[in-house]
Amino acid sequence: MTSKSASTNPQRRGTALSTAVRTLLALSVAAAPCYVSAQETLTEVVVTGSRLVRSDLSAPSPTTVLGQDLVQMSGDTTVETVLNELPQLSGGTNSSVNSGGGSGVLTANLRGLGAMRTLTLVNGRRFIPANGAGNVDLATIPTALVERVEVITGGASAVYGSDAIAGAVNFILRDDVEGLETSAQWGETAEGDGGSQNYDLLFGTNVAEGRGNVTLYLSRSIRDPVMMEDRAFSRTPLNAQLGVSGSSNIPGGRVSLSAAQLATLNVGQGPGVLPTGDGGCTTRLNSIRFGAGGEVLAHCDPENLYNYAAGNYLLRPLERWQMAGLGRFDVTDNVEAYTDIHYALSNNEYQQASDSLAIVTGTNPYFEVRDYATNPVLPEDVRALFMNNPQIFDPTGSGDARISGGIARRLDELGLRNFAFERATLGGTLGLRGDFDVGDRTWRWDVFGQYQRSRTDETINGMMSAARMSLGLDTVVNSSGQVVCATQVFGCVPVNPFGIGSISPEAAAFITPARSSTEVFERKVFGASLAGEVFTLPAGPVSTAIGVEYRDDQYEFMPGATDLAREYGSASRGITIGGFDVSEVFGEVRIPILSGLPFADILAIEGAGRLSDYSNFGNATTWRAGLEWGPVQSLRFRTAYNVAIRAPAISELYSPISEGFSPGTDPCAASRNPTQAQKDFCVQQGVPAAEINNFQQTVLGFSQLSGGNPDLKEETSETFTVGAVWQVPFVNNYNVAVDYYRIEVEDAVATMNAQTTLDVCYQMLDASSAPCQAIFRLPGSGQVYQVRASNSNIGSLSVEGVDLSTDYTMDLPDSFGLFENSAKLGLVMHAGWLFERVRQIIGARPIDCAGFFGSCTAQGSDSGGSPDFKATLMATYNSGPLRVRSQVRYIDDLQPLSNIAASTPVKADSVTYIDFSASYKINDSVEAFGGIDNAFDEQPPLLTSSWGGDANTDVTLYDVMGRRYFVGLRTKF
């Protein structure tokens, strides 16, 4: 792994506000008054990251706990928003990720290593997977049932199996509810949009004189969307210089040509002379466009760029039903039966501007117009274009015109593209657990089985069928003098793609059939474990846990009829069917070495191991070794070394090759400031030599072919953590935890997207290398037409940092109490310093994303920005029926990566958000609550469309909704 150095990225400089906030957060740790009292009694529990029974503050790995009240008082519809405020989490797929969020699976992304490397658990067990990657949709977690959330850092594969490379997020649910509880909450942004409604009903009762409990849960949530055009920062696409930008795929259509071709082009006003139309022309691009009636015009920047923001979601709408049932019953004094069942039905969608693509013939890199001299669909200006310029469009004199690269067309006549998803998830657990005595020692056992199933039905409207477009373009004149399709199938309607408004409503309906798909994930799990004390050493008992687990995962993606008929050409989706099973044995042990001695209140070592046998790639071994030392009772040092794995996801193994759009910039473009060696290589790869010094990229990104690879092997990781937990003996209720971590991942499964492939190729400058072989440029213009990629074990990742958590509760003077009640103030801080977050593709330079933007923030939903400092500070006042909470959320600044620092003025300053919430118990049964999030309406930094995506900012990192309010009512009977 490569560490960050001064030569890799520019030096960081904090702002005055940054310094002030850091100082405030540091003072919050030191401001506790010094007085002595006894420590609280610690309860014995099984903590996340271990199957041994221990106290919660002696967890073997860095662990952060969020309480039920924090989740309830957040005002958020889905729980991922609360999680992502923690410094330990980086940008995952949240409710503001529009097209990049796919089917709307909301995820946790620990340490920025990707959601697939974070294991999501419910009550210590895997929860219902929602897609081919096996990700859990956090929108299916029954929020009102959550008792606490435990977040563990580091490889936990030895305890939980695959996927826990970055760590695990464990939702602990309530199973002892008595009575009826209800909650109703309403919310809205200060702009009057993004309205939300949440209704929860919870009923629990003890049965058989307390031998068991049954808890039932029902929830209904509705959330309205927020549109990009309704926020100033996302209303208009911005370029790297913070100027107006947009898409070059425009209404009416555009054709890329080289400067040499443009110099000979004749549209009736002489070679090289092009009218500009209304609006003027700041910068002419190497393209022509088609106006009303097919008029051939110059293509100008920014006058003719298309603003795609209108219609895009900044907050996706959501409708959700949730039902759950939990039950437990003491069969005997030593045996308990337990069960849970979870069902969720959710509808969400994302939406984009009208379809934007290069219209080509079939899978060819060109668009062919047959018999252009007599083709009855063509407007006269377009016919004249082909007839007057055969040297460009018909050099062989075949009578058919070929447009290299196709027609870059914004099909605004088709309306907005809408992708709607209905997801139904069902999961159930049935088990027995209990204990038995062996001599004077108690052993605990657990046997369980799980069945989980999710189904997602997708419906897409507004997407063009390439096959139907080809049919509509192949026309003849019938005996009645009407222009009709030469092949009369599917109710074919003639289509004219040339010119603004040229596609009739009938033609638009014909070329946009409804597109659909269904994906199903099914999982079966069986597990058994045994934990207890084997024998006692002078320093204490030796604890151990052993167990077995079997898991079978099966996945199927079935596209609809139009995809199966290959109507979308290379973008048509194929069937994915695959799965695997794994059998595992595991064990864990803790051995006390010393106890009750000076400078050795406790000294213990521990270890864990897991042997896994996968049906698809064979055996894997994971393990953990740890050390705990407590010089005194109140202070514990802990360190651990973990070796973990991640098995390739089914979607990574078996997804068919498909085509999509990947945003990015061409390294050959003059705006990228290529070196002379890179310029020479660009010319070698097809960029016209005469244009290399001023070469312009005419599109915002590239067509990318990608798909699965059944030969993938497992990823491996090594994690080292060391830290301390201090229950400050001279301050009542004051705890401090600090932990250092370093995680390294090898053989990471990666798809070099179009941008990374281009960057790597033009770093290597080797035409025979795999990245360069994957790039296809258009002859003549030199524009990138397509980049091909597939999943491979070609990556490495590393993260390094320090976490600090403190909590303190103090009694306030009587004068601070309400209605003669006592008063308390609680302070909780979570802070994280990220020293490096390095990713590297084999053959490319490593990129450290800690504290930087650029390609770090433009790689998709799992690679959002990672500031090198992030913190939250909460202050809670309690007195009698009143509780008031204030929270400060701080995100440090991001600087541009060194490869873009010279070409952009963009800087992402630090941001501070302040939230307020309060609750008041009207009586023993009714509580009112409400709050304001982002109270001072802090706006997100502008990263432009180049490094922030469609919204011009990192929606996975920053608060993009602005000020918002919520109120609600809870009852308990």
Side-chain angles (χ1 to χ4, degrees), residues 121-134:
L121 307 168
V122 171
N123 289 337
R125 299 184 181 88
R126 292 174 184 264
F127 201 56
I128 311 165
N131 56 18

Side-chain angles (χ1 to χ4, degrees), residues 113-188:
L113 291 176
M116 74 290 293
R117 299 180 185 93
T118 299
L119 183 61
T120 300
L121 307 168
V122 171
N123 289 337
R125 299 184 181 88
R126 292 174 184 264
F127 201 56
I128 311 165
N131 56 18
N135 298 135
V136 171
D137 184 1
L138 297 182
T140 63
I141 302 292
T143 308
L145 274 176
V146 173
E147 179 178 293
R148 67 183 185 276
V149 185
E150 298 178 348
V151 180
I152 174 177
T153 292
S157 289
V159 177
Y160 296 116
S162 175
D163 303 338
I165 279 180
V169 178
N170 188 14
F171 294 86
I172 309 299
L173 304 184
R174 302 166 61 191
D175 64 353
D176 58 354
V177 177
E178 290 187 63
L180 177 67
E181 300 179 17
T182 69
S183 175
Q185 176 182 298
W186 302 268
E188 188 177 72

Side-chain angles (χ1 to χ4, degrees), residues 510-525:
F510 166 64
I511 63 176
T512 55
R515 192 178 188 185
S516 63
S517 70
T518 298
E519 63 176 331
V520 176
F521 199 120
E522 195 170 56
R523 170 177 288 168
K524 300 171 185 174
V525 181

Side-chain angles (χ1 to χ4, degrees), residues 527-576:
S529 62
L530 178 66
E533 298 174 355
V534 184
F535 53 86
T536 301
L537 295 174
V542 174
S543 302
T544 188
I546 57 174
V548 297
E549 190 167 289
Y550 171 81
R551 185 172 83 252
D552 179 80
D553 286 354
Q554 300 295 324
Y555 175 77
E556 176 182 295
F557 176 84
M558 184 62 66
T562 53
D563 276 287
L564 294 175
R566 306 297 296 172
E567 287 200 26
Y568 305 95
S570 59
S572 297
R573 301 173 297 183
I575 299 172
T576 300

Side-chain angles (χ1 to χ4, degrees), residues 663-747:
T665 57
D666 189 341
C668 294
S671 61
R672 288 285 299 269
N673 298 316
T675 65
Q676 187 58 50
Q678 288 174 323
K679 289 180 180 180
D680 295 340
F681 190 70
C682 292
V683 173
Q684 180 185 338
Q685 296 299 298
V687 175
E691 302 175 25
I692 188 59
N693 290 326
N694 300 291
F695 184 65
Q696 299 173 340
Q697 179 181 334
T698 58
V699 294
L700 287 175
F702 319 100
S703 168
Q704 176 178 304
L705 289 181
S706 57
N709 178 0
D711 297 323
L712 292 173
K713 63 179 182 179
E714 74 277 16
E715 299 177 348
T716 60
S717 75
E718 298 177 2
T719 301
F720 173 72
T721 61
V722 60
V725 178
W726 189 25
Q727 295 174 275
V728 184
F730 47 83
V731 180
N732 187 35
N733 299 324
Y734 185 32
N735 302 307
V736 180
V738 60
D739 290 282
Y740 165 85
Y741 63 89
R742 180 170 180 82
I743 305 172
E744 298 185 356
V745 183
E746 298 293 342
D747 295 322

Side-chain angles (χ1 to χ4, degrees), residues 744-762:
E744 298 185 356
V745 183
E746 298 293 342
D747 295 322
V749 176
T751 297
M752 283 202 297
N753 66 8
Q755 182 67 75
T756 304
T757 302
L758 283 159
D759 290 345
V760 172
C761 172
Y762 286 87

